[in-house]
Amino acid sequence: MRRFLRKLGFRLRRARNSAELEEELRLHRELRTEQLREQGTEDAARAASLRFGNQTVVLEAACETWRWRLGDEFVQNVRYAVRMWCKDPGFTLVTALTLALAIGANAAVFSIFHAVLLTPLPYGDAKRLVVVWDLPVKAKNPAPVFASFADFEQLHRYSRSFSDVAAATWAWSGRVWQDHGISKALLVIPATANFFRMLGVNAALGRTFTPEDEQRGCAVVLAHDFWQGKLASRADVVGSTLTLDNEPCTVLGVMPESFSFYPRQAQMWMLLGPHPKEEPIVGIFARLKPDVTLAQARAEVSSLHRALHEADKSEAGLAPAVFRLQDQFRFLAGRTLQTTVWLLTAAVFLVLLIACLNVANLLLGRSLVRERELAVRAALGAGRAGLIRQLLTESISLSALGCLAGLVFALAAIRCFNHLNPIELPVGADVTLNLPVVAFSLLLTVGATLLFGLFPAFRASRIDLNVSLKAGRSPAKGISRPHVARAIVTVEVMLSVVLLIGAGLVLKSLLRMSS
């Protein structure tokens, strides 16, 4: 740690320390020479000066103990790479734009992938949330349907697999809101008193339903968009009364802006009492206990369903099924949504591989042109490892430029996607350029650098100094550049064709699913 701090201090005062060290070496050399002159001849003093060595070499050797060699070498390589790319702006623009389009497309698609498949629902401990549907037993491809209210009461009363069980029924657009003589139809979801508690979500203003509200008549909880758009964000809305179907309903609270449930367009939630006038069919939502598996919950639900409907012939063709709530939200948004996202991600990744092949081919061609320059550097003492580090640093700088441009492209694509809203996304899936997407883009940059930078770097570092230096600026004898170029182009075309075929098959699958 002390050594690290010393080196850090030297980096902060590098110019000053170098000047002091140079002055100290100069004085030491002069004093030593003057001392020998007084003791001997002028030739002895000159010989002693020669034995002292080159002052610049001694200075660099002394500085080695104070600096980070690899870090300083990397900074020098970056500066050199920037100068190289600035000398050939056309090549830099083409390669950076190729990488930017590929990385940007992957970042944009990964933002959708992350939102749909990796982001948990915006509820408390969402991994334990499940939904119970009824499935037709004899159907070939059974579609889930709502269960009876009696099933909900059975589970709520006797289930040991769930810590809480709630119910909600169809989002009903038949509720009419009378506001200053104007009637407006609203999309309302009837739900039980423990619905929000089961989800683990609290109101932003006021509160949600409680069991005591079941004895107080009509009560509602508002969606944030409805409160903001239709009620102008009234601060005194909690405790006020809204008239629904000529019945006064008390506003208990307003949900947070980030809260949503299926369907997203719901404007409010109405209390579904324990003894409704007409027994509705409902979706049963529950929270698994920490030590209960999904298979155990399914077995218990099936057992309770058989006990309830043992003599009920109308329920003989239905069997209960328990699913993860997030999986069902994806299914409700689109039956093939999950597969579509996977295929789209695979397609753009193949495009990235094609871009890496093209950039690698460009760098290989450029390395053939730079053979004499690399040979001179090798002759001056640069080892093969040093040349590889230099060429990889150039590739990294090029990838970084492509990554920055790609993130700008991805941000524009994400904003366009959110504005056009071409597909319905599941609840809780907000497509944004967030930290995981940026980290994924950086990972792509590193991977792309290794893909298109390693082979050209190793190829260029294998230099025959005699042949390259004697050749001057003309093609070197003994090096079959046309054959090498043709081989490179052949391999690139073969791999690109394979990747294009793969991308085409993926896109064909996407088109079939979209129809």
Side-chain angles (χ1 to χ4, degrees):
M1 185 63 183
R2 186 177 301 174
R3 183 180 179 184
F4 172 80
L5 293 176
R6 283 202 304 267
K7 288 189 175 185
L8 182 61
F10 178 78
R11 295 293 301 178
L12 297 176
R13 299 177 298 177
R14 183 174 181 177
R16 177 182 173 184
N17 289 344
S18 297
E20 290 178 354
L21 182 59
E22 185 176 358
E23 179 67 16
E24 183 178 349
L25 288 173
R26 186 184 64 80
L27 290 174
H28 181 70
R29 182 172 184 168
E30 290 179 356
L31 289 173
R32 180 62 176 164
T33 305
E34 187 65 28
Q35 183 181 6
L36 290 174
R37 281 176 180 170
E38 293 176 356
Q39 295 177 357
T41 63
E42 185 70 23
D43 292 338
R46 189 177 299 109
S49 178
L50 291 174
R51 285 197 303 270
F52 193 85
N54 187 297
Q55 183 172 336
T56 303
V57 175
V58 175
L59 180 64
E60 289 182 353
C63 289
E64 283 291 333
T65 60
W66 293 93
R67 68 178 185 174
W68 292 292
R69 185 177 62 83
L70 292 178
D72 291 341
E73 181 183 340
F74 177 74
V75 172
Q76 292 173 0
N77 288 339
V78 169
R79 291 175 179 172
Y80 183 78
V82 172
R83 290 198 300 269
M84 289 295 298
W85 300 137
C86 291
K87 286 182 180 179
D88 195 350
F91 176 86
T92 305
L93 181 62
V94 170
T95 52
L97 185 60
T98 301
L99 290 173
L101 292 175
I103 293 176
N106 275 269
V109 171
F110 180 75
S111 65
I112 301 174
F113 182 92
H114 181 267
V116 173
L117 301 180
L118 300 181
T119 303
L121 292 173
Y123 311 135
D125 198 5
K127 292 182 179 180
R128 293 198 288 122
L129 293 177
V130 297
V131 58
V132 180
W133 304 124
D134 275 351
L135 293 179
V137 177
K138 297 182 180 180
K140 185 177 181 180
N141 294 309
V145 296
F146 277 4
S148 66
F149 194 78
D151 283 316
F152 158 69
E153 291 181 321
Q154 179 84 341
L155 290 178
H156 187 266
R157 189 176 303 159
Y158 299 111
S159 174
R160 297 294 179 265
S161 299
F162 307 120
S163 58
D164 205 355
V165 182
T169 187
W170 296 104
W172 189 19
S173 60
R175 293 287 183 178
V176 178
W177 172 40
Q178 287 84 26
D179 181 35
H180 297 91
I182 300 176
S183 298
K184 301 175 183 178
L186 300 180
L187 190 63
V188 182
I189 299 180
T192 55
N194 63 334
F195 178 74
F196 295 104
R197 184 190 68 194
M198 184 274 307
L199 293 177
V201 181
N202 296 318
L205 291 177
R207 61 177 177 83
T208 58
F209 302 125
T210 62
E212 291 75 17
D213 295 321
E214 296 173 349
Q215 312 300 327
R216 298 176 182 172
C218 180
V220 295
V221 174
L222 307 181
H224 188 275
D225 289 345
F226 177 80
W227 169 68
Q228 191 176 56
K230 301 296 183 181
L231 300 179
S233 303
R234 283 172 44 192
D236 61 343
V237 69
V238 177
S240 63
T241 300
L242 297 180
T243 304
L244 296 179
D245 293 341
N246 297 315
E247 181 183 3
C249 294
T250 303
V251 177
L252 300 179
V254 179
M255 296 306 294
E257 185 177 4
S258 60
F259 176 79
S260 60
F261 199 79
Y262 196 86
R264 289 172 175 264
Q265 298 80 5
Q267 295 164 299
M268 66 179 63
W269 291 264
M270 176 178 288
L271 187 61
L272 180 64
H275 306 290
K277 297 177 181 179
E278 297 181 2
E279 184 174 299
I281 54 174
V282 294
I284 303 173
F285 305 93
R287 180 179 293 276
L288 286 173
K289 289 182 178 179
D291 56 342
V292 176
T293 65
L294 199 62
Q296 291 172 337
R298 286 170 177 164
E300 185 191 45
V301 168
S302 297
S303 175
L304 291 174
H305 183 270
R306 286 194 301 269
L308 178 64
H309 300 288
E310 187 174 2
D312 189 356
K313 295 183 180 180
S314 63
E315 292 282 338
L318 298 174
V322 183
F323 299 99
R324 299 286 181 186
L325 181 58
Q326 186 159 24
D327 294 340
Q328 288 303 292
F329 277 163
R330 293 184 191 132
F331 176 83
L332 292 171
R335 291 193 172 200
T336 59
L337 178 62
Q338 186 167 336
T339 306
T340 300
V341 172
W342 273 106
L343 289 176
L344 186 60
T345 304
V348 295
F349 183 72
L350 292 175
V351 171
L352 175 65
L353 293 180
I354 294 173
C356 289
L357 283 175
N358 289 322
V359 174
N361 185 54
L362 292 173
L363 290 179
L364 280 171
R366 187 178 177 84
S367 67
L368 294 176
V369 177
R370 297 176 59 189
E371 276 188 0
R372 179 173 173 79
E373 172 208 336
L374 297 174
V376 170
R377 292 177 67 89
L380 292 176
R384 187 181 180 189
L387 291 177
I388 292 176
R389 287 196 297 268
Q390 174 203 334
L391 294 172
L392 280 180
T393 303
E394 294 177 9
S395 299
I396 290 174
S397 62
L398 196 62
S399 298
L401 182 61
C403 181
L404 290 176
L407 288 176
V408 174
F409 172 75
L411 181 60
I414 290 171
R415 289 186 175 179
C416 181
F417 177 85
N418 289 328
H419 177 71
L420 296 177
N421 195 22
I423 60 174
E424 182 180 358
L425 295 177
V427 171
D430 295 322
V431 181
T432 58
L433 189 66
N434 50 23
L435 184 60
V437 176
V438 174
F440 175 77
S441 302
L442 295 177
L443 183 63
L444 278 183
T445 302
V446 174
T449 302
L450 296 177
L451 281 174
F452 71 74
L454 272 179
F455 180 70
F458 278 102
R459 166 67 180 80
S461 65
R462 299 179 62 182
I463 299 173
D464 189 331
L465 295 182
N466 292 327
V467 174
S468 298
L469 292 176
K470 288 178 182 178
R473 294 186 179 273
S474 61
K477 296 180 180 180
I479 299 179
S480 183
R481 292 189 179 185
H483 292 297
V484 173
R486 282 197 293 269
I488 292 171
V489 172
T490 301
V491 173
E492 181 200 359
V493 170
M494 290 172 58
L495 293 175
S496 296
V497 167
V498 173
L499 294 173
L500 280 173
I501 292 174
L505 291 174
V506 170
L507 292 176
K508 184 178 180 180
S509 299
L510 284 172
L511 291 175
R512 285 185 173 180
M513 286 195 299
S514 66
S515 63

